[in-house]
Amino acid sequence: MTATQEPPAHATGAPGDGFPSGDLTLLRFHVDHALAADTSTLSDTELIDQIQEIETLRASLAALQTDRIRAFAQAHVDSHRVDDRTDVDKLHRSVVAQIQLACRVSTAEARTRVADARDLHAGLDDVRRLHEAGQLSAAKITAIAVECRDLDTIQRAQIDARLATNRDLTRYGIGRLRAMTRRLVAEIAPERFRARVHAAKAERRVTLRPAPDAMSYLTAYVPVEQGAACLAALQKAFVEVQVHPQPLTRTRGQVLADTLVERVTGQATATAVNLEVQVTVPVQALLNPTSPLPAEIPGLGPVPADLLATSEGRKSLRRLLTDQGIVIGGDSRRRTFTGLLATLVRARAQNRCTEPYCDAPVRHLDHIHRDTDGGRTELGNGRGVCEFHNHVREQPGWRIFRAPDGIVVTVTPTGHRYCGPEPPLPTAPPPRAPT
């Protein structure tokens, strides 16, 4: 099920100061008209001209949205700030959460958009005007803004002026724009640049994210010299395999990947995995050995059920039964969000935050109906969320509830409602007809 937005009546078509919503409705009408137009009569040249004009318009619309994000952030903080002791960080968190839902993006992307909206009006005036004119895309603007993120307004303005003098600025790719801006930061604010490099080392980490076809991306964020040393060691391992008298049956990439797994885990071979893996198995696959329905590793995606049975090593599988994607059973019935019950809640969420548009890993197990309000600690009242969204719901004006159809609904301080992607609770099977 996909997340849907149902804004309140006052949010649609209501005119406002500066830019009436009716103008946006008219723009939507023109887009629909253009989509329905017959393109078979257009020449290649005319189609390219339209594609180019649409890209320009797309960048300008992104600039318009950025302006509105900034206006909303200022209005929200001003209307909810009581005095100087008000926690501005909590207000900022509420702003980010509402932008995330309205723009249907991840929390990280929402943070970036809010920060861009702030910084583009704090020194990056020339860059912002190019964005408004459609000459710089939103992605390019973000590349520039991120490199200037920790600078003050004066330093940011100096970089903005230097960028504006480059006549090729609008023709550069994102990588070149990022590198050029970084060089200017190192030149204009060397102390900030040096501090940023030192601070980045404290953020070193290893992450795992899903990839297509039952694969995954294991990413290490480490200092550049350490990354280069790791790659050099793996490449040396491939050279050693090449000179071995036995025939080479693996590609260079396969050797590098296998060597990485073997050296990190200490296994004799990369496939000899010694690990308990949680998988959700469709009940149909147990009843019918020929069922094509795949099993799934929560958070990492589907995998053919038969491959789980033929894996090498001592990997053990904790199976959770599902029916049409809904977790319906496990090994116990503990009544707290620990042990197997916590496992069931995480598995039902596929180890991804159940807030709309958020793909962050589950960090907290939350009561939909608050425990302090009499909510029970049971599977039907549990949801898996990231740390950010668990904290956001505690802010004034936020409300979470499960609708009669089983969908979890988030209500924001502005009254907008967003339906989450979590599947409904399983219903009792229909009674059997008498025989």
Side-chain angles (χ1 to χ4, degrees):
M1 178 171 295
T2 57
T4 59
Q5 176 186 1
E6 298 177 0
H10 69 266
T12 57
D17 294 335
F19 192 91
S21 296
D23 290 353
L24 294 176
T25 303
L26 181 60
L27 179 60
R28 176 77 260 179
F29 170 79
H30 284 299
V31 170
D32 291 340
H33 181 72
L35 286 170
D38 182 12
T39 59
S40 61
T41 60
L42 299 177
S43 66
D44 291 353
T45 301
E46 290 172 326
L47 288 171
I48 287 295
D49 287 341
Q50 289 195 11
I51 290 172
Q52 182 172 306
E53 185 61 29
I54 291 169
E55 185 63 24
T56 300
L57 179 61
R58 182 180 179 185
S60 296
L61 285 174
L64 174 62
Q65 186 186 60
T66 297
D67 180 79
R68 295 305 184 262
I69 290 174
R70 176 174 176 267
F72 167 75
Q74 290 178 333
H76 186 75
V77 171
D78 291 343
S79 62
H80 290 79
R81 188 169 184 172
V82 179
D83 50 39
D84 292 339
R85 292 175 296 178
T86 303
D87 193 336
V88 179
D89 288 340
K90 289 185 177 180
L91 291 179
H92 179 264
R93 189 182 299 137
S94 180
V95 168
V96 170
Q98 293 181 75
I99 295 300
Q100 179 251 326
L101 290 168
C103 295
R104 307 168 195 170
V105 296
S106 68
T107 304
E109 174 65 17
R111 283 198 186 99
T112 297
R113 294 192 184 189
V114 172
D116 289 351
R118 176 198 63 209
D119 294 344
L120 285 176
H121 288 80
L124 295 176
D125 296 338
D126 289 325
V127 168
R128 187 185 75 249
R129 281 189 282 270
L130 288 173
H131 188 30
E132 293 169 348
Q135 299 302 305
L136 287 176
S137 67
K140 292 181 178 180
I141 287 295
T142 297
I144 295 173
V146 166
E147 295 300 329
C148 302
R149 193 70 84 210
D150 57 348
L151 305 183
D152 58 39
T153 302
I154 296 176
Q155 292 169 329
R156 202 177 285 122
Q158 290 177 320
I159 291 176
D160 180 68
R162 293 280 294 274
L163 290 174
T165 60
N166 192 322
R167 294 194 293 185
D168 293 328
L169 184 69
T170 59
R171 290 192 286 269
Y172 284 162
I174 294 177
R176 185 175 292 184
L177 274 176
R178 184 182 292 112
M180 181 172 60
T181 307
R182 189 179 298 133
R183 285 194 296 269
L184 291 175
V185 171
E187 178 182 341
I188 293 173
E191 297 82 6
R192 294 285 184 94
F193 181 72
R194 189 184 304 274
R196 181 189 298 177
V197 172
H198 285 297
K201 291 184 178 180
E203 298 295 326
R204 59 190 183 274
R205 58 190 179 274
V206 177
T207 58
L208 183 71
R209 57 191 178 93
D213 304 323
M215 301 293 284
S216 62
Y217 296 106
L218 178 66
T219 305
Y221 181 70
V222 295
V224 61
E225 68 276 7
Q226 296 179 11
C230 290
L231 183 60
L234 296 176
Q235 291 173 337
K236 181 180 178 182
F238 176 66
V239 173
E240 294 172 351
V241 171
Q242 277 185 312
V243 300
H244 199 276
Q246 295 182 353
L248 184 62
T249 60
R250 295 176 293 170
T251 66
R252 177 179 176 276
Q254 291 171 344
V255 172
L256 266 60
D258 292 347
T259 303
L260 172 65
V261 174
E262 291 162 6
R263 293 189 178 181
V264 170
T265 62
Q267 300 166 185
T269 61
T271 55
V273 177
N274 182 18
L275 179 70
E276 178 182 289
V277 179
Q278 177 195 122
V279 296
T280 57
V281 181
V283 66
Q284 293 86 351
L286 296 181
L287 299 177
N288 180 11
T290 62
S291 172
L293 295 178
E296 184 160 343
I297 301 177
L300 295 177
V303 58
D306 58 329
L307 292 186
L308 296 176
T310 57
S311 176
E312 300 177 28
R314 292 171 291 168
K315 177 170 59 180
S316 61
L317 307 176
R318 171 174 290 187
R319 297 185 300 184
L320 304 176
L321 301 184
T322 65
D323 187 7
Q324 299 180 5
I326 303 170
V327 175
I328 61 174
D331 297 332
S332 74
R333 298 186 179 183
R334 298 184 63 178
R335 305 296 293 177
T336 60
F337 289 142
T338 58
L340 184 65
L341 182 56
T343 299
L344 291 172
V345 174
R346 291 177 182 273
R348 184 178 60 185
Q350 297 181 331
N351 206 33
R352 295 291 180 185
C353 179
T354 54
E355 275 292 304
Y357 321 116
C358 184
D359 283 332
V362 169
R363 299 298 185 198
H364 292 181
L365 301 181
D366 185 32
H367 290 75
I368 297 172
H369 182 52
R370 299 175 190 270
D371 179 70
T372 55
D373 296 333
R376 301 179 62 181
T377 305
E378 58 187 7
L379 181 61
N381 194 41
R383 66 169 190 155
V385 291
C386 64
E387 181 178 2
F388 175 82
H389 280 111
N390 192 36
H391 289 160
V392 162
R393 76 163 297 186
E394 302 301 326
Q395 302 303 312
W398 288 83
R399 187 162 61 94
I400 309 293
F401 67 92
R402 190 184 291 279
D405 60 0
I407 301 298
V408 177
V409 179
T410 298
V411 183
T412 69
T414 58
H416 288 75
R417 295 189 175 197
Y418 300 88
C419 298
E422 187 177 7
L425 291 172
T427 57
R432 282 188 166 187
T435 56

